[in-house]
Structure formats: structure tokens, C-alpha cells
Amino acid sequence: MKRRQLLMTIFGISLADATIRGTILKSGLLADTSVGNSIQPFADLTNDLASGSTETVNEPLLRFAAIADTGVGSFDQYAVAQAMAQIYEHSPFALVLMAGDNIYPYGEMQYIQSAFEKPYAPLLSQGVKFHAVLGNHDIIKSNNGQDQINYPLFNMPDRYYSFTKSFPTSLPQATNSNHNSELVEFFALDTNDNADWRSQLAWLDRQLGNSKALWKIVFGHHPLYSSGLHGSDQQLASMLAPLFAKHQVKLYLCGHDHGYERFVPINGTTYIVNGGGGAPLYQFGSSGQTAFVSQRFSFMICDVYQDKIITKAIATDGKVFDRSIITHTI
Ligand SMILES: [Fe+2]
């Protein structure tokens, strides 16, 4: 992966990331200097989920949160985590997708308390399940990530895996006869360079093809498309995008570039870089396919319905700064 290799030093850390734990203290003193750049303005950017406005009228069948690039133990990570906990009080979510770089700088489990257990304690104590994947930082001093896989609160049965969420039992089965009772199937990928790509891609093709879920959502650490520091990864896109299109994956969530960028659907898939979970922010540009880009600390909430998924990007003040609707008809 030429572009990524250019950005990587030995052990796979970008130069920008290399002193990341050294910048934590500085980062903790920084205000959230948010810069939003709406390429395609959305009508409802002022919607505040915490205020319990419009969408609480129609409760989703499933609500989940998503974060990435979190594990620094910084003031900013705690600010994001606190905003998540506040949202949870009004609009509880069942699970959190954690798209890698879970523990900086090198994935060491010795930092698990400051990088994970303390910031998310309010959610963990209420039984919210986190489902992690391995970022590039997570595989360096962790027996190639195995230490994190073995950590039960990351709920990683393997380097790549899938899990499903069913329709609530109070509802009738899905009306679409092509699908069974599975509402969503989540597919977690190991997007690192040293992943077993041959096996993983064969598994992904098979698993996506066999899935009967109404919605197929994939998450991994690295973006296929990004206007951030690391940028798009053409090799990753050449491997994954055709499978996403073939099997109608509607949403791919990732991190690695520390900020937020949502793309217009590309061959039916909405790609969102969601890397504002706490690590120092990067500069972002934009591309012709960028729908919204922002440099701020943030997380996502996704509300899943039978006919749509509403994605919301939320800043540390609890305000929704980007929102999109994904439908089956895109
Ligand atoms: Fe990363």
C-alpha cells in the first residue's frame, strides 16, 4: 500500500502519530477548535439529540454508537466519552463500535484503564457492549493485537468477525421475505497491512453473501476514502469496495484520520471517517465526493429502522453537527 507506506515508519506508525502520547498533555489543554465545512449542507444540523427533539417520537429498532482513535487517555477523549454518557441517559444505545487505535501508543494493555475503562465507565457500568477492531497502533506491543483480542470488554472473538442484532421480539418478523429476523449484521475487519488478507477477503465475501440481515454494516480502522492526513487507500478500496457493492453494504465506518468526513454514497455504500474520538485532530481537505467534513472531537449515533438508518455526528457539546439518512433505495 504505497500511500500508507509513505506515511508509516517502522512498526506502522505515521510520523504524525509517533509522538502521540507525548502530545496528550498538550492536547488536554486545547479547546475543541472545531472547524466544520459543510460541502453539502443538511437541513437539520441544529438538531440536538440530547434535548429529546424530533426523532425520539419514532424510536429506532436499534441504536448504536461509534467511535475511533480513542485510546489516549486525554482530556478530549474524556470529553467525548462524557458526551456519549450524557446522550445515553436520554437516548440509550445498545452497543458501541470501536474502530481501532484503542490504546495508544502501541496497543499496550498496561494503559487499558486510562485508555478505556475509566473514560467509558459510565457506559460499561450500564452494560453497554463495546465491539473493537485493531488499529495500526494496537498491534505493536500487544503480541500483534492478540492481547486486545483476549481482553473480554473489547468483545473481539478474533481479528475479524461478525455479529447480528435481531428485530425486537415485540415486533413481527421483517416484512421483506428475502430477510429473516436479523435486523443488522455487523462485520468487523482487520485492515492492517499484516492482516491475513487472503483468508479475510474470502471470509468476508462468503459471510456477506450468506447474510440474511436487512442491513449490512462494516467497520474497520482504515478508510478507503479520506481527505485527511493519511488520505484514501486505493489498494484497500480495490479489495473491499467491490465486495461492498456486490453484497449491498450500506455503511462503512472507520477512523485512522482524526476527524470526521462523510462521503456521498459510492456505489450504494456510505463511507464515514469517524476518527475524532480523542486523539489529536488532523487537518482535512475535501474531495468531490465529500458530503461533510469537520475537524472536531466527536462520536456517532446511528438509529436503525426498517426503511432507513439515520447517522448523526455529535460533538463534545452534545450537538449534532452532521446528519444523513441511508435508505435501501440508494
Ligand atoms: Fe490509525
Side-chain angles (χ1 to χ4, degrees), residues 1 4-5 8 12 68-69 98-102 132-139 144 149 156 158-161 187-198 200-201 203-204 218-225 230-231 233-237 239-241 244 252-257 271:
M1 300 183 182
R4 199 186 303 172
Q5 285 168 344
M8 298 174 94
D69 302 282
M98 194 159 66
D101 286 356
N102 312 312
V133 294
L134 297 169
N136 53 304
H137 286 266
D138 297 318
I139 61 174
N144 193 28
I149 293 170
M156 300 175 68
D158 211 331
R159 309 184 79 83
Y160 52 89
Y161 59 95
F187 302 82
L189 301 183
D190 175 6
T191 55
N192 285 297
D193 285 339
N194 69 352
D196 183 352
W197 280 103
R198 180 185 297 270
Q200 181 171 221
L201 290 172
W203 168 86
L204 183 62
V218 181
F219 66 109
H221 181 63
H222 296 86
L224 283 63
Y225 311 111
H230 296 294
D233 187 326
Q234 291 189 353
Q235 186 171 343
L236 196 62
M239 293 190 294
L240 293 178
F244 295 173
Y252 178 75
L253 297 172
C254 62
H256 196 44
D257 271 333
Y271 293 85

Coordinates of all heavy atoms in Angstrom, one line a residue, residues 1 4-5 8 12 68-69 98-102 132-139 144 149 156 158-161 187-198 200-201 203-204 218-225 230-231 233-237 239-241 244 252-257 271:
M1 N 0.9 -1.2 0.0 CA 0.0 0.0 0.0 C 0.9 1.2 0.0 O 1.3 1.7 1.0 CB -0.9 0.0 1.2 CG -1.8 -1.3 1.2 SD -2.9 -1.2 2.6 CE -3.8 -2.8 2.4
R4 N 0.1 4.4 2.1 CA 0.2 4.2 3.6 C 1.7 4.0 4.0 O 2.1 4.4 5.0 CB -0.6 3.0 4.0 CG -0.9 3.0 5.4 CD -1.6 1.7 5.9 NE -2.8 1.5 5.1 CZ -3.5 0.3 5.3 NH1 -3.1 -0.6 6.0 NH2 -4.6 0.2 4.6
Q5 N 2.4 3.3 3.1 CA 3.8 3.0 3.4 C 4.6 4.3 3.5 O 5.5 4.4 4.3 CB 4.4 2.1 2.3 CG 3.9 0.6 2.5 CD 4.3 -0.2 1.3 OE1 4.6 0.3 0.3 NE2 4.2 -1.5 1.5
M8 N 4.2 5.7 6.9 CA 4.5 4.9 8.0 C 6.0 4.8 8.3 O 6.8 4.8 7.4 CB 3.9 3.5 7.8 CG 2.4 3.5 7.7 SD 1.8 1.9 7.3 CE 1.4 1.3 8.9
G12 N 4.8 0.7 11.6 CA 3.5 1.1 11.1 C 2.9 2.3 11.8 O 1.7 2.6 11.7
A68 N -13.7 6.0 17.2 CA -12.4 5.5 16.7 C -11.3 6.4 17.2 O -11.6 7.6 17.5 CB -12.5 5.4 15.2
D69 N -10.1 5.9 17.2 CA -8.9 6.7 17.6 C -9.1 7.3 18.9 O -9.0 8.6 19.1 CB -8.6 7.7 16.5 CG -8.4 7.1 15.1 OD1 -7.3 6.5 14.9 OD2 -9.4 7.1 14.3
M98 N -16.1 0.2 18.0 CA -14.8 1.0 18.3 C -13.8 0.6 17.3 O -13.3 -0.5 17.2 CB -14.3 0.6 19.7 CG -13.2 1.5 20.2 SD -13.1 1.5 22.0 CE -12.5 -0.2 22.3
A99 N -13.6 1.5 16.3 CA -12.9 1.2 15.1 C -11.4 1.4 15.1 O -10.8 2.0 14.2 CB -13.5 2.0 13.9
G100 N -10.8 1.0 16.2 CA -9.3 0.9 16.3 C -8.5 2.1 16.8 O -9.1 3.2 16.9
D101 N -7.3 1.8 17.0 CA -6.4 2.7 17.8 C -7.1 2.8 19.2 O -7.3 4.0 19.7 CB -6.1 4.0 17.1 CG -5.1 3.8 16.0 OD1 -4.6 2.6 15.8 OD2 -4.8 4.7 15.3
N102 N -7.3 1.7 19.8 CA -8.0 1.6 21.1 C -7.1 2.0 22.2 O -7.6 2.4 23.3 CB -8.5 0.2 21.3 CG -9.3 -0.3 20.0 OD1 -10.1 0.4 19.5 ND2 -8.9 -1.6 19.6
A132 N -14.7 -4.0 19.3 CA -13.5 -3.3 18.8 C -12.9 -4.0 17.6 O -13.2 -5.2 17.3 CB -12.4 -3.3 19.9
V133 N -12.1 -3.3 16.9 CA -11.2 -3.9 15.8 C -9.8 -3.3 16.1 O -9.7 -2.4 16.9 CB -11.7 -3.5 14.4 CG1 -13.0 -4.2 14.0 CG2 -11.7 -2.0 14.2
L134 N -8.9 -3.9 15.4 CA -7.5 -3.5 15.7 C -7.0 -2.4 14.7 O -7.1 -2.5 13.5 CB -6.5 -4.7 15.5 CG -6.8 -5.9 16.4 CD1 -6.0 -7.1 15.9 CD2 -6.3 -5.5 17.9
G135 N -6.5 -1.3 15.3 CA -5.9 -0.2 14.5 C -4.4 -0.5 14.4 O -3.9 -1.4 15.0
N136 N -3.8 0.4 13.6 CA -2.3 0.2 13.5 C -1.5 0.3 14.7 O -0.5 -0.3 14.9 CB -1.8 1.2 12.4 CG -2.1 2.6 12.7 OD1 -3.3 2.9 12.8 ND2 -1.1 3.5 12.7
H137 N -2.0 1.2 15.7 CA -1.3 1.3 16.9 C -1.5 0.1 17.8 O -0.7 -0.1 18.8 CB -1.8 2.6 17.7 CG -1.3 3.8 17.1 ND1 -0.1 4.5 17.5 CD2 -1.7 4.6 16.1 CE1 0.1 5.6 16.8 NE2 -0.9 5.6 15.9
D138 N -2.6 -0.6 17.6 CA -3.0 -1.7 18.5 C -2.2 -3.0 18.4 O -2.3 -3.9 19.2 CB -4.5 -2.0 18.4 CG -5.4 -0.8 18.7 OD1 -5.1 -0.2 19.7 OD2 -6.3 -0.6 17.9
I139 N -1.3 -3.1 17.4 CA -0.7 -4.3 17.1 C 0.8 -4.3 17.4 O 1.5 -5.3 17.0 CB -0.9 -4.8 15.6 CG1 -0.4 -3.8 14.6 CG2 -2.4 -5.0 15.4 CD1 -0.5 -4.2 13.2
N144 N 1.0 -8.6 18.6 CA 0.3 -8.4 17.4 C -1.2 -8.3 17.5 O -2.0 -8.8 16.7 CB 0.7 -9.5 16.4 CG 0.2 -9.2 14.9 OD1 0.2 -8.0 14.6 ND2 -0.1 -10.2 14.2
I149 N -7.4 -8.8 21.7 CA -8.4 -9.8 21.4 C -8.8 -10.6 22.6 O -10.0 -10.9 22.8 CB -7.9 -10.7 20.3 CG1 -7.7 -9.9 19.0 CG2 -8.8 -11.9 20.1 CD1 -7.0 -10.7 17.9
M156 N -14.0 -9.0 21.1 CA -13.4 -9.4 19.8 C -13.1 -10.9 19.8 O -12.1 -11.4 20.4 CB -12.1 -8.7 19.6 CG -12.1 -7.2 19.6 SD -10.5 -6.4 19.4 CE -10.0 -6.9 17.8
D158 N -12.1 -12.6 17.4 CA -11.0 -12.9 16.5 C -10.6 -11.6 15.9 O -11.1 -10.5 16.1 CB -11.4 -13.9 15.5 CG -10.2 -14.8 15.0 OD1 -9.1 -14.3 15.1 OD2 -10.5 -15.9 14.6
R159 N -9.6 -11.6 15.0 CA -9.1 -10.4 14.3 C -10.2 -9.9 13.4 O -10.2 -8.7 13.1 CB -7.8 -10.7 13.5 CG -6.7 -11.4 14.3 CD -5.5 -11.6 13.5 NE -4.7 -10.4 13.5 CZ -3.9 -10.0 14.5 NH1 -3.8 -10.8 15.6 NH2 -3.2 -8.9 14.5
Y160 N -11.0 -10.7 12.8 CA -12.2 -10.3 12.1 C -13.3 -11.2 12.4 O -13.1 -12.4 12.7 CB -11.9 -10.2 10.6 CG -11.4 -11.5 9.9 CD1 -12.2 -12.5 9.5 CD2 -10.0 -11.7 9.8 CE1 -11.7 -13.6 8.9 CE2 -9.5 -12.8 9.3 CZ -10.3 -13.8 8.8 OH -9.8 -15.0 8.2
Y161 N -14.5 -10.6 12.4 CA -15.6 -11.4 12.9 C -16.9 -10.6 12.5 O -16.9 -9.5 12.0 CB -15.6 -11.5 14.5 CG -15.6 -10.2 15.2 CD1 -16.7 -9.6 15.7 CD2 -14.4 -9.5 15.4 CE1 -16.7 -8.4 16.4 CE2 -14.4 -8.2 16.1 CZ -15.5 -7.7 16.6 OH -15.5 -6.5 17.2
F187 N -20.0 -6.4 10.5 CA -18.8 -7.1 10.0 C -17.6 -6.3 10.5 O -17.4 -5.1 10.0 CB -18.8 -7.3 8.5 CG -20.0 -8.0 8.0 CD1 -21.2 -7.4 7.8 CD2 -19.9 -9.4 7.8 CE1 -22.3 -8.1 7.4 CE2 -21.1 -10.1 7.3 CZ -22.3 -9.4 7.1
A188 N -16.7 -6.9 11.3 CA -15.6 -6.2 11.9 C -14.3 -6.7 11.2 O -14.1 -7.9 11.1 CB -15.5 -6.5 13.4
L189 N -13.5 -5.8 10.6 CA -12.4 -6.2 9.8 C -11.1 -5.8 10.5 O -11.0 -4.8 11.2 CB -12.4 -5.5 8.4 CG -13.7 -5.8 7.6 CD1 -13.5 -5.1 6.2 CD2 -13.8 -7.3 7.4
D190 N -10.0 -6.6 10.2 CA -8.7 -6.2 10.5 C -8.1 -5.6 9.2 O -7.8 -6.3 8.3 CB -7.9 -7.4 10.9 CG -6.4 -7.1 11.1 OD1 -6.0 -5.9 11.1 OD2 -5.6 -8.1 11.4
T191 N -7.9 -4.3 9.2 CA -7.5 -3.6 8.0 C -6.0 -3.3 8.0 O -5.5 -2.5 7.2 CB -8.3 -2.3 7.7 OG1 -8.2 -1.5 8.9 CG2 -9.7 -2.6 7.4
N192 N -5.3 -3.9 8.9 CA -3.8 -3.6 9.0 C -3.1 -4.3 7.8 O -3.6 -5.3 7.3 CB -3.3 -4.1 10.3 CG -3.7 -3.2 11.5 OD1 -3.2 -2.0 11.5 ND2 -4.5 -3.7 12.4
D193 N -1.9 -3.8 7.6 CA -1.1 -4.3 6.5 C -0.8 -5.8 6.7 O -0.6 -6.6 5.7 CB 0.2 -3.5 6.3 CG -0.1 -2.2 5.7 OD1 -1.1 -2.0 5.0 OD2 0.8 -1.3 5.8
N194 N -0.6 -6.2 7.9 CA -0.2 -7.6 8.2 C -1.4 -8.5 8.4 O -1.2 -9.7 8.8 CB 0.8 -7.7 9.4 CG 0.1 -7.4 10.7 OD1 -1.1 -6.9 10.7 ND2 0.8 -7.5 11.8
A195 N -2.6 -8.1 8.1 CA -3.7 -9.0 8.2 C -3.6 -10.1 7.2 O -2.9 -10.0 6.2 CB -5.0 -8.2 7.9
D196 N -4.3 -11.2 7.5 CA -4.3 -12.3 6.6 C -5.4 -12.0 5.5 O -6.5 -12.5 5.6 CB -4.7 -13.6 7.4 CG -4.7 -14.8 6.5 OD1 -4.6 -14.7 5.2 OD2 -4.8 -16.0 7.0
W197 N -5.0 -11.2 4.5 CA -6.0 -10.7 3.6 C -6.7 -11.7 2.8 O -7.8 -11.7 2.5 CB -5.3 -9.6 2.7 CG -5.2 -8.3 3.4 CD1 -4.1 -7.8 4.0 CD2 -6.3 -7.4 3.7 NE1 -4.4 -6.6 4.6 CE2 -5.8 -6.3 4.5 CE3 -7.7 -7.4 3.4 CZ2 -6.6 -5.3 4.9 CZ3 -8.5 -6.3 3.9 CH2 -7.9 -5.3 4.6
R198 N -5.9 -12.7 2.4 CA -6.5 -13.8 1.5 C -7.6 -14.5 2.2 O -8.7 -14.6 1.7 CB -5.4 -14.8 1.1 CG -5.9 -15.9 0.2 CD -4.8 -17.0 0.0 NE -3.7 -16.4 -0.7 CZ -3.6 -16.4 -2.1 NH1 -4.5 -16.9 -2.8 NH2 -2.5 -15.9 -2.7
Q200 N -9.2 -13.4 4.9 CA -10.2 -12.4 5.4 C -11.1 -12.0 4.3 O -12.4 -12.0 4.4 CB -9.6 -11.2 6.0 CG -10.6 -10.2 6.5 CD -9.9 -9.0 7.3 OE1 -10.5 -8.6 8.3 NE2 -8.8 -8.5 6.8
L201 N -10.6 -11.8 3.1 CA -11.5 -11.4 2.0 C -12.4 -12.6 1.5 O -13.5 -12.3 1.2 CB -10.6 -10.9 0.8 CG -9.9 -9.6 1.0 CD1 -8.9 -9.3 -0.2 CD2 -10.9 -8.5 1.1
W203 N -13.5 -14.9 3.5 CA -14.5 -15.0 4.6 C -15.5 -13.9 4.4 O -16.7 -14.1 4.6 CB -13.8 -14.8 6.0 CG -14.7 -14.6 7.1 CD1 -15.4 -15.5 7.8 CD2 -15.1 -13.3 7.6 NE1 -16.1 -14.9 8.8 CE2 -16.0 -13.5 8.7 CE3 -14.8 -12.0 7.3 CZ2 -16.6 -12.5 9.5 CZ3 -15.4 -10.9 8.1 CH2 -16.3 -11.2 9.1
L204 N -15.0 -12.6 4.1 CA -16.0 -11.5 4.0 C -16.9 -11.7 2.9 O -18.2 -11.5 3.0 CB -15.2 -10.2 3.8 CG -16.0 -8.9 3.8 CD1 -16.8 -8.7 5.1 CD2 -15.2 -7.7 3.5
V218 N -20.3 -2.6 7.9 CA -18.9 -3.0 8.0 C -18.1 -1.9 8.8 O -18.3 -0.7 8.5 CB -18.2 -3.3 6.7 CG1 -16.8 -3.8 6.9 CG2 -19.0 -4.3 5.9
F219 N -17.2 -2.3 9.7 CA -16.3 -1.3 10.3 C -14.9 -1.9 10.4 O -14.7 -3.1 10.5 CB -16.8 -0.8 11.6 CG -16.9 -1.8 12.7 CD1 -16.0 -1.7 13.8 CD2 -17.8 -2.8 12.8 CE1 -16.0 -2.6 14.9 CE2 -17.9 -3.8 13.8 CZ -17.0 -3.7 14.8
G220 N -13.9 -1.0 10.2 CA -12.5 -1.3 10.2 C -11.8 0.0 10.6 O -12.3 1.1 10.5
H221 N -10.5 -0.1 10.8 CA -9.8 1.1 11.2 C -9.5 2.0 10.1 O -9.6 3.2 10.2 CB -8.5 0.7 11.9 CG -7.7 1.8 12.4 ND1 -8.2 2.7 13.4 CD2 -6.5 2.3 12.1 CE1 -7.3 3.7 13.6 NE2 -6.2 3.5 12.8
H222 N -9.0 1.5 9.0 CA -8.5 2.3 7.9 C -9.6 2.7 6.9 O -10.5 1.9 6.5 CB -7.4 1.6 7.1 CG -6.2 1.3 8.0 ND1 -6.1 0.2 8.8 CD2 -5.1 2.0 8.2 CE1 -5.0 0.2 9.4 NE2 -4.3 1.2 9.1
P223 N -9.5 4.0 6.5 CA -10.5 4.4 5.5 C -10.1 4.0 4.1 O -9.0 3.9 3.7 CB -10.4 6.0 5.5 CG -9.2 6.3 6.4 CD -8.6 5.0 6.9
L224 N -11.2 3.7 3.3 CA -11.0 3.5 1.8 C -10.8 4.9 1.2 O -10.0 5.1 0.3 CB -12.1 2.8 1.2 CG -12.2 1.2 1.4 CD1 -12.4 0.8 2.8 CD2 -13.4 0.7 0.5
Y225 N -11.7 5.8 1.7 CA -11.7 7.2 1.1 C -11.6 8.1 2.3 O -12.2 8.0 3.3 CB -13.0 7.4 0.4 CG -13.3 6.3 -0.6 CD1 -14.4 5.4 -0.4 CD2 -12.5 6.1 -1.7 CE1 -14.7 4.4 -1.3 CE2 -12.8 5.1 -2.6 CZ -13.9 4.2 -2.4 OH -14.2 3.2 -3.3
H230 N -3.9 10.9 6.3 CA -3.5 9.7 5.7 C -4.1 9.5 4.3 O -3.5 8.9 3.4 CB -3.9 8.5 6.5 CG -3.3 8.4 7.9 ND1 -2.0 8.2 8.0 CD2 -3.8 8.6 9.1 CE1 -1.7 8.2 9.3 NE2 -2.8 8.5 10.0
G231 N -5.3 10.0 4.1 CA -5.9 10.0 2.8 C -6.5 8.7 2.4 O -6.6 7.8 3.2
D233 N -7.0 5.1 0.4 CA -6.1 4.0 0.3 C -6.6 3.2 -0.9 O -7.6 2.4 -0.8 CB -6.1 3.1 1.5 CG -5.1 2.0 1.5 OD1 -4.9 1.5 0.4 OD2 -4.6 1.7 2.6
Q234 N -6.0 3.4 -2.1 CA -6.5 2.8 -3.3 C -6.5 1.2 -3.2 O -7.4 0.6 -3.8 CB -5.8 3.3 -4.5 CG -6.1 4.8 -4.8 CD -5.5 5.2 -6.1 OE1 -4.7 4.5 -6.8 NE2 -5.8 6.4 -6.5
Q235 N -5.5 0.7 -2.6 CA -5.4 -0.8 -2.5 C -6.5 -1.3 -1.7 O -7.1 -2.3 -2.0 CB -4.0 -1.2 -2.0 CG -3.8 -2.7 -2.1 CD -2.4 -3.1 -1.8 OE1 -1.5 -2.4 -1.8 NE2 -2.3 -4.4 -1.5
L236 N -6.7 -0.7 -0.5 CA -7.8 -1.1 0.3 C -9.2 -1.0 -0.4 O -10.0 -1.9 -0.3 CB -7.8 -0.3 1.6 CG -8.6 -0.8 2.8 CD1 -8.1 -2.1 3.3 CD2 -8.6 0.2 3.9
A237 N -9.3 0.1 -1.1 CA -10.6 0.3 -1.9 C -10.7 -0.8 -2.9 O -11.8 -1.3 -3.2 CB -10.6 1.7 -2.5
M239 N -9.7 -3.8 -2.9 CA -10.1 -5.1 -2.3 C -11.5 -5.1 -1.7 O -12.2 -6.1 -1.8 CB -9.1 -5.4 -1.1 CG -7.7 -5.7 -1.6 SD -6.6 -6.3 -0.3 CE -6.5 -4.9 0.8
L240 N -11.9 -4.0 -1.0 CA -13.1 -4.0 -0.3 C -14.3 -3.4 -1.0 O -15.5 -3.9 -0.9 CB -13.0 -3.3 1.0 CG -12.0 -3.9 2.0 CD1 -11.9 -3.0 3.3 CD2 -12.4 -5.3 2.4
A241 N -14.1 -2.3 -1.7 CA -15.3 -1.7 -2.4 C -16.1 -2.6 -3.3 O -17.3 -2.5 -3.3 CB -14.8 -0.4 -3.1
F244 N -18.3 -4.7 -1.1 CA -19.4 -3.9 -0.5 C -20.5 -3.6 -1.5 O -21.7 -3.7 -1.2 CB -18.9 -2.5 0.0 CG -17.9 -2.6 1.1 CD1 -17.2 -1.4 1.5 CD2 -17.6 -3.8 1.8 CE1 -16.3 -1.5 2.6 CE2 -16.7 -3.9 2.8 CZ -16.1 -2.7 3.2
Y252 N -20.0 1.9 5.8 CA -18.6 1.5 6.3 C -18.1 2.6 7.2 O -18.1 3.8 6.8 CB -17.7 1.4 5.1 CG -16.2 1.0 5.6 CD1 -15.9 -0.2 6.0 CD2 -15.2 2.0 5.6 CE1 -14.7 -0.6 6.5 CE2 -13.9 1.7 6.0 CZ -13.7 0.4 6.5 OH -12.4 0.1 6.9
L253 N -17.8 2.3 8.5 CA -17.3 3.2 9.5 C -15.9 2.9 9.8 O -15.5 1.7 9.9 CB -18.2 3.1 10.7 CG -19.6 3.4 10.6 CD1 -20.4 3.1 11.9 CD2 -19.8 4.9 10.3
C254 N -15.1 3.9 9.9 CA -13.6 3.8 10.2 C -13.1 4.9 10.9 O -13.9 5.8 11.4 CB -12.9 3.6 8.8 SG -13.0 5.0 7.8
G255 N -11.8 5.0 11.1 CA -11.1 6.1 11.8 C -9.8 6.3 11.1 O -9.8 6.5 9.9
H256 N -8.7 6.3 11.8 CA -7.4 6.5 11.4 C -7.0 7.9 11.0 O -6.0 8.4 11.5 CB -7.1 5.6 10.2 CG -5.6 5.4 9.9 ND1 -4.7 5.1 10.8 CD2 -4.9 5.4 8.7 CE1 -3.5 5.0 10.3 NE2 -3.6 5.2 9.0
D257 N -7.8 8.6 10.2 CA -7.7 10.0 10.1 C -8.5 10.7 11.2 O -9.7 10.4 11.3 CB -8.1 10.5 8.7 CG -7.0 10.5 7.8 OD1 -5.8 10.6 8.2 OD2 -7.2 10.4 6.5
Y271 N -19.7 6.0 3.1 CA -18.4 5.8 3.8 C -18.2 7.0 4.8 O -18.3 8.2 4.4 CB -17.2 5.8 2.9 CG -17.2 4.6 1.9 CD1 -17.9 4.6 0.8 CD2 -16.4 3.5 2.3 CE1 -17.9 3.4 0.0 CE2 -16.4 2.4 1.5 CZ -17.1 2.4 0.3 OH -17.1 1.2 -0.5

